[in-house]
Amino acid sequence: MPAWDISPSGVDSVTSLVGLAMDDVAKDVKAYGEDVRSAASSAGTISAGYCGAAPVGPVGAALALFVERTAGDVLFLSARASKSVNGAIEATNFYVAGDLEQAENAQEQAAKAPDMKAILAAALKKSADK
């Protein structure tokens, strides 16, 4: 069992700062998505005139492919940060309550990578529901 020397107020302070940083990242990711859509539609195509929906040119297609292939990485960053913060809070609460075994278990669970299959499935479902 690890040696414990935790400052609950220090944990609260750090997790609050991480939460604020996570909020900023979420805003940046949303802006990134909007900027990519704008860039893709502004990049133009090599086709002459068109009827109906604007065609997607090679730059727009490349941007869409890039976003599609990096979406999992972006979701992982958020999931990893969230799991770490929640695990630190949970472990600290067990520590304060004097349950060092549960604190250790919470710490071990927080250190495991998030289940990205479940996270991606939830994100796809949420996107489809919109």
Side-chain angles (χ1 to χ4, degrees):
M1 184 172 313
W4 297 85
D5 184 16
I6 298 173
S7 164
S9 63
V11 172
D12 182 55
S13 176
V14 170
T15 56
S16 293
L17 291 172
V18 172
L20 292 173
M22 288 168 54
D23 290 343
D24 286 344
V25 169
K27 290 175 191 169
D28 291 342
V29 168
K30 182 178 180 185
Y32 161 76
E34 293 167 0
D35 292 345
V36 167
R37 276 190 288 284
S38 175
S41 67
S42 298
T45 68
I46 52 175
S47 64
Y50 57 86
C51 239
V56 175
V59 173
L63 287 170
L65 186 60
F66 174 78
V67 169
E68 178 185 319
R69 295 216 175 140
T70 59
D73 295 335
V74 172
L75 286 171
F76 181 84
L77 291 172
S78 173
R80 173 76 270 169
S82 180
K83 190 171 182 186
S84 295
V85 167
N86 292 335
I89 292 168
E90 186 178 5
T92 302
N93 289 339
F94 283 124
Y95 171 81
V96 169
D99 192 340
L100 299 184
E101 184 176 343
Q102 284 296 92
E104 183 177 10
N105 290 339
Q107 181 183 26
E108 287 173 4
Q109 290 304 310
K112 294 179 181 176
D115 179 0
M116 290 311 297
K117 286 183 182 179
I119 291 168
L120 286 171
L124 289 173
K125 182 179 183 329
K126 184 177 179 180
S127 177
D129 290 344
K130 287 185 178 180

